Amino acid sequence: MTTTPGPPPAHKFTLQVLSTSSCDSGPSLLLTFAHNRYLFNTPESISRICVQTKTPMRRIKQIFLGSLKDSAGLPGTILTTFEGGNRELEVFGPNGTDHFVASCRHFTRRDELSFKVTTPPPLVTASTLPPPIHTDANLSVHAFPILPPSSHSPSLKRKRSASPTSSPPRSKSPPLPATTDYTSTSTEPTTSTSTLSNPPPFNHRDSSFNPTSLRGLAATQWKNIVLADMFKGTKFLSSPPPPQPKRQPGQPQSPSHLPAQLPPPEIPVVGETAVSYLVQTPKTRGRFLPEKAKEFGVPPQKISLLTKGERIWVGKIEEVKDEELGLKGGENKKTIEKLRRAAMKKREDAVVEGEGEGRWVEPAEVMEESVDGLGILVLNLPTLSHLETLSSLSYTTLFNPTSTPLTQIFYFLGPDIPLNSSQIATFASSFPPTVHHQFAPSNSQTSHNPVTFTPAAFLSLRLSQLAPSIFRLPHYTKSPPTLPDTLPSNSSILNTNSFFLPDGTPHTPTGFSANPPFEPSSSLDSGNLVASGAKEELKLKASEAWKEYVAQAAAVREELKVEVAKRIVSDGEEAWKGVKVTALGTGSAIPSKYRNVSGTLLHIPEGGEEKFLLLDCGEGTWGQIARTFGGEEGGSERVLRALKVVFVSHMHQDHHAGIVTVLRERAKLDPLPKDPLIIVAPPSARTYIWEQQTLFDLGVSPSRRGKAGEVNFIDNWVLERGKKFDKDDNRLRGVKDVEETLGVKITTVPVLHRCRCWGAVIDHKSGWRAVFSGDTMPCDALVDAGKDATLLIHEATIQDDMPEVAEAKGHSTFGQAIDVARRMSAKHLLLTHFSARYPKLPPLNHVEGENVNEPIVAMAFDMMTLGLDEFWKAERFRKPMDTLMGWDEVEEQESTSVIDAAPSGEGAK
C-alpha cells in the first residue's frame, strides 16, 4: 500500500479509522482539520482507544451517530472531551438520541458545557439531497435516516437466533405504548434547544408532577429541559434561558435530579433507526500569487476584487514628477512622498476601465487554480434490512451530486451483512471507478477479531512469563477477510488506525507511530517495549531490562515450583478452595492504554459449578469479559449464563456505564439463563437501566418476571446492616435469590466518597468472606463490617506521598488501603482502581512483616485471574515486575500528561 507524505494544500484534512469491528469495539471515523475534529460513531471504549493512540478529543465539537445501539461510548466521550477542555458539543443522531443522553443524567452532567442534540428529519424524496444538518467553514454534512422496511410496523417481532454458532440476532425493540403516533411530517431537523423558549404545558416544580406520563410535544419539551439542566452552557440558545425560581423546601428536585423515569420515546422500533452521512467540502479557491500581481501592476486596493473572482482594469499611469507636485521648497521627504501618493491616487481614480493604455487582469492570471469540493459518504448499515432500504433510494443522485463528486465511501456493516452480498456489489458498482470503497465488516461475519488494545495485550504477554494461568492473554482471532471479486477494484478492508487523504490515498501522518500488531508467537522480546521510532538509547535500555526480567521470571517460576511442592494446605483454606478473582478493569476515572475502568469478577464455586458476581461494571466491561474468557470452553457466554449478581457501588460513570452492554448481550442468549440476574445498585441505576430498556432489549421487561432471563433489582441501602423486612416484603425475594443461587449473603456498607457510595461484604455459607470497598477514603464502618475477611478488594487510587489529593477526591492511598486490611485482619488484599498517573505498576512501599495481621498483598492488572490459594505468589512477582515496568516510567508518565491535566483529576466522573 503506497503512502504520501502529506495532504495536498487544497484539502488539508485527514481521515483516521479509530476502530473497526471487534468483540470490544465497533467502527468509528475521525475527520481532522487544522482547528476542528469531527467524530463519526462512538462505539463502546472509544475514549480508551483515543487515549491509547494519543488522539486528543478536545477539538471534537461535532459527533455524528449512526445507530444508538452502537453508541455506548457517547457518555464517556462527552465527559472526556469536556475534561480535555472542550466547552461546546453538538451531537447528531437518530430519533431517540435526546432520550439516550437524558437517561444518562445521573452521571453525565457538566454545568459549563454547551450541548445540543439534533435529529435529522425523514427523507422527503428518494432522489433529492436534503439540506445539510451542519455547515461550517470546513464542511457540510447531509444526513440520511434509514429504517428497515418492516420497522414502520409496531408489531414487528424479532426472531431469536441460536447461540453460540449463529450470527448475533438483530436487536430486539421494546414494546411501545399502543397510542404512539408514528407519523412525522416535519422536514426540519429537531434540536434539543428548539423548544426551550416555549413555556411547557406542565410545572415540574409541582409536587404532583410525573414526567413519565408525558407524551408528544410535552415529552420532548421535558427531555430538552432535562438536557438543559445537565449542560448549562448557553452557546446554542437563541436567547438567555429564563431565570429558574429557587427551589423551596418540599419542592421536587431540579429536572436532571428527579428520580422519576423519562417518558418513553414515541417512535417506531427506535433501536433500528440508523443514520448515514454525506460529507461535502466547499470549493477551495486557489492561492493568491502576489509576485504575479506585482508583475501586472495590480494596485493593492484591487487585490480583493481579484480574489473574489472579478477581473480588473490596470491602466498605464505615468509617475508623478517632482515639478508636478507644486513644491515651494523646504518640504521634507515624508511630506513630498505624501503629496506624491495623493497625486497618484487622483490619476488612478481618473482612469476609465477599458479606455486608454492598459489591460484587463483576470483572476486566473494571479491565482492558483481553484480546487472543487469533494464528497465522503459514511454508511451505517446495522442489518440487511437497512441495506434493502438503501438500495431503494436513488443513491447515485443522492450521494454523488455532480457539483461535489464522491472520493470515498465508508461501509460500516452489521453482523448479518456479508461482504459478498449482491446488494453491496450492486450499490458499490454503480459509482464511478474513481470512488474508493472502504469496508468495515462485522467481526461476526468474518471471524476476524483483532486485538484492540495492543499495549495492554503486550503487557499481559510479558507478565505471562511469570505465570500464564494468572496473567491471561486476550482472546483474539486473526483471520482478515478477503474482498470478493464482485466488488470494485478500488475496494479495501479497513484496519484500526489507518489514515486516508481526502482523495482516498492511504496516508501516514508525520510523527505518528502506530502500535505494533499483537503477535504472541513472535513478540517475546524487547522490540515492542518501545515505539519503532524511539531513540537508540531508549531501545538499548529496553533490551537490557527485558533480558534481566526474563532471567528473574525464570528464577521465580523455579522457586514457585519448590514452594508449591512444600506447601501444606490448612483446614481454613479448604473453605475457600476454588474462589478466584478476575480483574477486568483496574484503572480509575478514565481508562488508560494499560487499564480499563472499574470491573472485578468474583468466581464462586457453588453446587459443582463456577458462578460469578460482578463488582462494578465500567464502560468496556463486556469487551474485557469477551477478551478474557472468549478462548475458553463455553467462552464469554458461559460467564454470562453463570453471572448471578452485579453490584454497583455508586453512580460515577467509570463504575457502571458498561452494565447496559452486559445486559444487552445477556438478553441475546438462546436459550435465556434460567436463574435470575440480581442487580444491587443505587436507585438511580435502576432508573437509568429502565430508560435504556425503552431503547434496547435489556431483559428487564415486566414480561420476563418469573421466566427465564429475568432481571431483578435491589437498592443498595436495602442491604445495609440492621435493615429488617416484613415477611411479605417483595424485596426479600431478591435477597433469597442471591442466597439460593450463589450461597452468599450480601451486606452493603455506606463508605466515604464524594457521592453516595457503598462497599459490600459477601459472606459465603462455607465460611469465607470477601469485602469490596467501592470508592472510598479509609472507612471505619467498612473495617468493622468486614472483620476477618478472607479477601479484601480495596481501591488504591493515589500514591502515599499525596494523601491530601486522595482526601480531596474521596479516595485512598496505597498505604491507607493496606492499613485498612491490617485493621480488618484481612488475609488477602487485592489493590485496584489505580490513577492514570501510574500507567503500569503503581509504586508500593509495603514490606512483608511478621505481624499476624499483615495481609498478603497483590496488585491488580487487567485480565489477571488469581485464586485465593495463589495470592502468596503475587508477592514473589514484585521484583521482576519492577524490572520490567520501571525502566520506562518517565516516558509513560509523559504520555499520560493530557489525562492528568483534567481540572478535577477525576476524568469521567
Side-chain angles (χ1 to χ4, degrees):
M1 192 186 293
T2 59
T3 60
T4 59
H11 296 300
K12 292 187 176 180
F13 72 96
T14 56
L15 300 95
Q16 179 183 1
V17 179
L18 290 173
S19 55
T20 55
S21 181
S22 64
C23 68
D24 49 9
S25 192
S28 61
L29 180 69
L30 184 70
L31 272 62
T32 299
F33 289 77
H35 302 292
N36 294 81
R37 295 177 177 227
Y38 308 84
L39 179 60
F40 290 80
N41 293 352
T42 57
E44 188 149 13
S45 298
I46 187 63
S47 296
R48 186 182 181 193
I49 289 168
C50 289
V51 169
Q52 173 179 271
T53 56
K54 301 182 183 178
T55 302
M57 302 181 74
R58 179 172 58 88
R59 290 179 178 171
I60 297 175
K61 296 187 177 181
Q62 284 80 31
I63 295 175
F64 301 89
L65 305 180
S67 65
L68 293 182
K69 73 181 187 65
D70 295 320
S71 302
L74 179 60
T77 301
I78 293 172
L79 295 172
T80 305
T81 60
F82 179 86
E83 297 298 344
N86 188 21
R87 292 299 178 266
E88 59 184 78
L89 187 63
E90 293 181 88
V91 175
F92 303 84
N95 286 330
T97 301
D98 56 346
H99 183 97
F100 182 90
V101 179
S103 72
C104 304
R105 63 192 177 279
H106 300 290
F107 57 94
T108 313
R109 291 191 297 264
R110 288 296 182 268
D111 286 352
E112 297 176 25
L113 181 64
S114 294
F115 184 85
K116 182 169 75 170
V117 171
T118 298
T119 300
L123 289 179
V124 177
T125 70
S127 59
T128 303
L129 189 68
I133 58 168
H134 174 75
T135 301
D136 59 29
N138 294 322
L139 48 72
S140 296
V141 181
H142 303 262
F144 302 87
I146 297 175
L147 287 105
S150 57
S151 291
H152 301 284
S153 168
S155 61
L156 177 69
K157 301 290 185 181
R158 175 175 75 88
K159 293 183 179 180
R160 187 178 300 281
S161 60
S163 60
T165 55
S166 62
S167 300
R170 287 169 50 192
S171 59
K172 182 175 179 180
S173 301
L176 296 171
T179 57
T180 296
D181 178 12
Y182 299 107
T183 305
S184 175
T185 59
S186 173
T187 59
E188 295 294 324
T190 303
T191 69
S192 59
T193 58
S194 60
T195 63
L196 292 178
S197 59
N198 302 321
F202 52 79
N203 178 12
H204 68 266
R205 294 292 190 189
D206 193 306
S207 59
S208 62
F209 174 66
N210 179 16
T212 309
S213 61
L214 299 175
R215 295 294 184 271
L217 178 60
T220 300
Q221 286 181 297
W222 172 246
K223 291 172 187 176
N224 292 346
I225 289 172
V226 170
L227 291 174
D229 193 50
M230 293 169 63
F231 310 107
K232 297 181 180 178
T234 59
K235 177 179 174 59
F236 301 119
L237 297 179
S238 57
S239 59
Q244 292 291 320
K246 185 176 181 181
R247 181 187 171 212
Q248 300 299 319
Q251 284 188 328
Q253 295 172 303
S254 64
S256 64
H257 289 81
L258 279 180
Q261 289 181 36
L262 296 171
E266 298 184 5
I267 48 181
V269 202
V270 65
E272 298 289 346
T273 309
V275 184
S276 293
Y277 299 95
L278 174 63
V279 179
Q280 293 181 316
T281 60
K283 184 174 182 177
T284 307
R285 79 178 188 196
R287 186 172 61 91
F288 178 72
L289 303 173
E291 66 280 1
K292 285 288 186 181
K294 185 177 181 181
E295 179 183 331
F296 293 124
V298 176
Q301 64 270 24
K302 291 190 175 183
I303 289 176
S304 61
L305 297 174
L306 288 167
T307 59
K308 292 177 182 177
E310 300 178 24
R311 70 175 184 169
I312 65 168
W313 174 263
V314 179
K316 186 175 182 180
I317 304 173
E318 295 290 338
E319 288 290 332
V320 178
K321 298 178 181 178
D322 287 352
E323 53 267 27
E324 295 178 276
L325 296 177
L327 301 176
K328 297 178 180 180
E331 291 91 348
N332 57 33
K333 290 183 179 180
K334 187 174 181 180
T335 301
I336 294 172
E337 187 58 34
K338 183 177 180 181
L339 291 170
R340 192 187 309 279
R341 286 198 302 269
M344 284 295 294
K345 185 177 187 308
K346 190 174 182 180
R347 290 186 180 185
E348 290 170 359
D349 292 343
V351 172
V352 178
E353 290 187 349
E355 294 184 6
E357 192 175 351
R359 61 162 292 182
W360 289 101
V361 177
E362 302 290 342
E365 295 181 280
V366 294
M367 303 277 293
E368 288 183 346
E369 187 177 352
S370 297
V371 179
D372 288 335
L374 52 81
I376 296 164
L377 182 58
V378 181
L379 293 177
N380 292 293
L381 301 171
T383 68
L384 273 171
S385 298
H386 289 86
L387 180 58
E388 291 172 9
T389 301
L390 178 68
S391 300
S392 69
L393 303 177
S394 301
Y395 45 80
T396 53
T397 303
L398 277 174
F399 300 142
N400 199 28
T402 55
S403 59
T404 311
L406 277 180
T407 60
Q408 299 183 76
I409 302 177
F410 290 85
Y411 300 78
F412 297 154
L413 305 181
D416 64 346
I417 303 181
L419 269 175
N420 60 2
S421 163
S422 60
Q423 291 167 303
I424 287 284
T426 301
F427 179 89
S429 300
S430 66
F431 291 92
T434 54
V435 176
H436 294 255
H437 301 268
Q438 322 281 13
F439 289 92
S442 170
N443 65 295
S444 63
Q445 270 289 335
T446 65
S447 300
H448 183 47
N449 186 26
V451 170
T452 303
F453 304 106
T454 51
F458 279 122
L459 179 58
S460 295
L461 177 64
R462 295 172 199 127
L463 290 174
S464 69
Q465 297 302 293
L466 293 168
S469 63
I470 293 175
F471 300 102
R472 296 165 174 254
L473 300 187
H475 170 63
Y476 79 107
T477 53
K478 189 173 181 181
S479 178
T482 56
L483 287 166
D485 296 337
T486 53
L487 292 176
S489 59
N490 222 6
S491 300
S492 61
I493 299 293
L494 291 173
N495 294 310
T496 297
N497 270 327
S498 51
F499 290 79
F500 298 93
L501 296 180
D503 64 358
T505 307
H507 168 62
T508 302
T510 303
F512 178 77
S513 179
N515 294 307
F518 183 67
E519 294 284 358
S521 59
S522 59
S523 298
L524 280 177
D525 55 42
S526 63
N528 289 314
L529 289 176
V530 293
S532 57
K535 297 178 180 178
E536 289 301 319
E537 180 183 358
L538 192 60
K539 290 182 179 180
L540 178 61
K541 193 176 181 182
S543 178
E544 292 172 352
W546 176 253
K547 290 177 183 176
E548 185 178 357
Y549 167 72
V550 169
Q552 290 176 348
V556 166
R557 290 196 303 272
E558 292 303 315
E559 292 172 8
L560 291 179
K561 288 180 183 178
V562 174
E563 289 192 65
V564 167
K566 295 180 179 179
R567 193 170 181 83
I568 300 174
V569 178
S570 65
D571 293 338
E573 291 180 54
E574 286 294 334
W576 34 267
K577 184 177 181 181
V579 178
K580 301 177 184 177
V581 59
T582 294
L584 298 171
T586 59
S588 70
I590 56 178
S592 70
K593 61 194 276 188
Y594 295 109
R595 298 182 183 276
N596 196 47
V597 290
S598 297
T600 306
L601 195 66
L602 190 62
H603 305 231
I604 301 175
E606 178 64 24
E609 301 178 25
E610 187 175 51
K611 299 181 180 180
F612 299 97
L613 190 156
L614 180 59
L615 301 165
D616 279 341
C617 187
E619 180 185 341
T621 294
W622 166 249
Q624 294 290 88
I625 291 174
R627 291 293 185 191
T628 306
F629 300 97
E632 298 181 353
E633 183 178 353
S636 51
E637 179 178 325
R638 176 182 71 88
V639 176
L640 273 185
R641 291 189 178 282
L643 180 63
K644 305 304 178 185
V645 175
V646 178
F647 174 82
V648 175
S649 61
H650 63 296
M651 287 301 290
H652 279 163
Q653 193 261 356
D654 59 314
H655 288 261
H656 83 282
I659 194 167
V660 166
T661 303
V662 170
L663 292 175
R664 280 175 54 191
E665 293 297 324
R666 184 177 184 270
K668 292 178 183 178
L669 295 177
D670 184 20
L672 289 166
K674 61 179 181 178
D675 292 331
L677 173 66
I678 311 298
I679 298 177
V680 181
S684 50
R686 171 166 47 185
T687 303
Y688 165 64
I689 291 170
W690 272 102
E691 290 172 355
Q692 289 274 306
Q693 167 69 28
T694 63
L695 299 172
F696 321 108
D697 180 15
L698 307 183
V700 300
S701 170
S703 63
R704 289 266 176 91
R705 286 177 184 160
K707 300 178 182 178
E710 180 181 6
V711 178
N712 293 321
F713 294 88
I714 304 177
D715 294 338
N716 285 9
W717 64 268
V718 171
L719 299 183
E720 291 176 13
R721 286 197 297 174
K723 290 287 191 298
K724 298 185 181 299
F725 304 98
D726 295 330
K727 63 178 182 179
D728 298 326
D729 196 315
N730 288 332
R731 291 170 295 191
L732 277 175
R733 179 188 171 197
V735 175
K736 290 179 179 178
D737 283 340
V738 172
E739 294 177 356
E740 291 173 3
T741 58
L742 271 179
V744 301
K745 177 184 178 182
I746 299 176
T747 303
T748 59
V749 181
V751 293
L752 306 175
H753 194 40
R754 297 185 307 136
C755 67
R756 292 187 71 190
C757 183
W758 287 265
V761 178
I762 302 157
D763 288 298
H764 193 268
K765 61 186 180 183
S766 63
W768 58 266
R769 166 178 286 177
V771 178
F772 176 59
S773 71
D775 277 9
T776 183
M777 295 183 286
C779 179
D780 291 340
L782 188 70
V783 172
D784 183 48
K787 273 292 184 184
D788 301 317
T790 313
L791 168 66
L792 170 62
I793 303 167
H794 203 288
E795 69 120 289
T797 309
I798 306 293
Q799 66 188 52
D800 291 341
D801 60 357
M802 302 173 68
E804 69 288 346
V805 174
E807 182 176 2
K809 296 170 187 273
H811 290 300
S812 298
T813 66
F814 310 144
Q816 288 170 343
I818 293 171
D819 183 62
V820 167
R822 291 185 183 124
R823 292 193 290 135
M824 191 182 287
S825 299
K827 295 180 176 62
H828 309 91
L829 170 63
L830 182 67
L831 296 178
T832 186
H833 197 267
F834 304 115
S835 167
R837 293 180 177 87
Y838 323 116
K840 288 183 179 178
L841 188 65
L844 184 63
N845 299 321
H846 168 69
V847 178
E848 250 186 298
E850 298 299 326
N851 191 329
V852 293
N853 287 336
E854 197 72 19
I856 301 174
V857 180
M859 311 284 286
F861 290 87
D862 282 20
M863 297 177 55
M864 176 185 84
T865 296
L866 193 61
L868 293 189
D869 57 352
E870 297 178 301
F871 254 71
W872 60 275
K873 298 179 182 179
E875 296 189 331
R876 312 298 190 268
F877 298 153
R878 182 71 198 195
K879 183 178 178 181
M881 286 180 176
D882 283 335
T883 299
L884 175 66
M885 290 177 274
W887 68 274
D888 62 346
E889 180 179 349
V890 174
E891 179 198 35
E892 292 297 344
Q893 286 183 345
E894 289 175 352
S895 73
T896 60
S897 60
V898 174
I899 298 171
D900 285 339
S904 68
E906 288 291 331
K909 292 191 178 185

